[in-house]
Amino acid sequence: MSPLLRIRAERDRMSAIERRVADFLLENAHLLRDYSSQQLASALGISQSSVVKFSQKLGYKGYPDLKYSIVQAAARPDGEAAADVAPTATHPLGALADALWELKSQAEAATRLINSPEQIDAIARAIRQAGKVYVIGLGEDGIPARAFATRLSMLGVLTVHYVDAALMQAGVCNAVDDDVLFVFSEHGQQPTLCQIARRVRERGGHVVTVTRHTPNPLRAHAALPLLISAHDGRRHVEPLLYQSAVLHLLDLIFVLLCETSDGHRRTLDENLDHMQDLLDG
């Protein structure tokens, strides 16, 4: 695994000092050859031992091994670190588009790494076996929630989608064994969503949470958590990376459901045909 991709994937679980080291390495990978551990520590205002511990936490013997691995990755023209070098384009808009595409690709790759294939399989299996799938997301989290609920409905899955927590509280009173609740919440802090998740668990249902890769109250209620890794220092960019990574992960689950169930795929084809008939009419 690329060291830069590993750093991005693990960043959410790092301490404040570790995140400072991580951000410096991600932003300056192509310059790291000239930095000793002491120089890096001085640049960040931390101790040299913190740099060494950071390297060892990532599975390296020490900082020299980590530095060598990052320098090698940065030197590959088609490698993970290619996006850390300013993109070339004949028009500024082209450079901006290339940079945004690379950032989204990195977020999607890091997110894929922290959600194991076994976890994705388990979620798809839970959906196939569910009598009902409840879906909720508040605010901006409601955007991917609505899109995912619509796609499940197109597959013939009985889907209950609410954008109001109070209505969902009432709705999950009808939850039974093997029903599934999808809860979308970037930071996982809303107490009402935790209450809804707890209620579904008490009724024997499965709770799937979609949150950032950070410890949070909502994630603690999940039998099947989906974790998102997406970072950028610009407040207008980071939400775009998060949403892109969420949608990519949901697309993967949707395609898996289609590929593993002839029934779902037939129902989707029928629904698409009906919709086209309505449009043509």
Side-chain angles (χ1 to χ4, degrees):
M1 182 195 307
S2 162
L4 296 176
L5 192 55
R6 181 182 300 172
I7 290 170
R8 286 192 183 92
E10 295 296 327
R11 185 185 181 281
D12 277 338
R13 296 193 294 185
M14 294 178 181
S15 66
I17 290 178
E18 290 169 343
R19 285 198 296 272
R20 287 168 62 188
V21 179
D23 291 342
F24 184 91
L25 297 180
L26 292 171
E27 294 169 6
N28 300 280
H30 53 296
L31 303 175
L32 198 60
R33 187 190 304 272
D34 300 325
Y35 279 83
S36 66
S37 59
Q38 183 58 58
Q39 289 171 324
L40 177 58
S42 298
L44 295 175
I46 60 177
S47 67
Q48 187 176 8
S49 63
S50 295
V51 176
V52 176
K53 290 178 181 177
F54 176 89
S55 305
Q56 293 172 340
K57 187 172 182 179
L58 289 175
Y60 295 90
K61 292 181 180 179
Y63 172 74
D65 288 339
L66 174 61
K67 181 172 79 167
Y68 176 79
S69 182
I70 291 177
V71 169
Q72 290 295 105
R76 291 194 295 269
D78 59 343
E80 145 66 17
D84 294 294
V85 181
T88 58
T90 57
H91 191 282
L93 183 58
L96 184 63
D98 287 344
L100 182 58
W101 182 88
E102 290 289 353
L103 289 171
K104 287 184 176 181
S105 297
Q106 292 166 12
E108 292 164 6
T111 295
R112 192 166 62 249
L113 278 176
I114 57 177
N115 293 278
S116 68
E118 293 77 15
Q119 185 83 330
I120 301 299
D121 281 336
I123 291 172
R125 185 165 55 252
I127 293 173
R128 286 195 297 267
Q129 297 173 351
K132 298 183 294 298
V133 176
Y134 296 89
V135 181
I136 186 170
L138 307 179
E140 287 195 9
D141 292 303
I143 298 172
R146 178 180 178 181
F148 188 60
T150 300
R151 286 188 171 178
L152 290 182
S153 297
M154 293 289 288
L155 294 178
V157 176
L158 179 55
T159 307
V160 182
H161 171 233
Y162 286 112
V163 296
D164 184 286
L167 292 176
M168 183 60 86
Q169 283 272 24
V172 297
C173 288
N174 298 314
V176 296
D177 285 354
D178 291 332
D179 281 350
V180 175
L181 169 68
F182 270 82
V183 190
F184 291 75
S185 177
E186 181 174 355
H187 301 289
Q189 299 294 333
Q190 296 99 323
T192 54
L193 296 182
C194 293
Q195 293 170 10
I196 293 169
R198 187 183 307 113
R199 182 166 293 184
V200 170
R201 288 181 58 190
E202 290 171 350
R203 284 161 171 72
H206 305 287
V207 177
V208 180
T209 56
V210 184
T211 70
R212 280 194 173 274
H213 185 30
T214 52
N216 60 73
L218 181 60
R219 178 178 167 185
H221 292 283
L224 298 166
L226 285 173
L227 308 174
I228 310 301
S229 178
H231 308 285
D232 193 272
R234 295 164 293 179
R235 295 181 69 182
H236 61 287
V237 172
E238 189 168 58
L240 306 180
L241 306 186
Y242 178 83
Q243 293 287 350
S244 178
V246 169
L247 293 176
H248 183 76
L249 200 55
L250 297 177
D251 287 348
L252 178 59
I253 294 172
F254 173 77
V255 172
L256 180 59
L257 290 170
C258 292
E259 296 290 335
T260 56
S261 172
D262 291 338
H264 283 328
R265 198 160 58 249
R266 282 196 300 271
T267 301
L268 175 64
D269 289 340
E270 291 171 1
N271 284 328
L272 290 174
D273 289 341
H274 290 325
M275 291 176 64
Q276 190 59 51
D277 290 342
L278 290 173
L279 293 173
D280 293 342

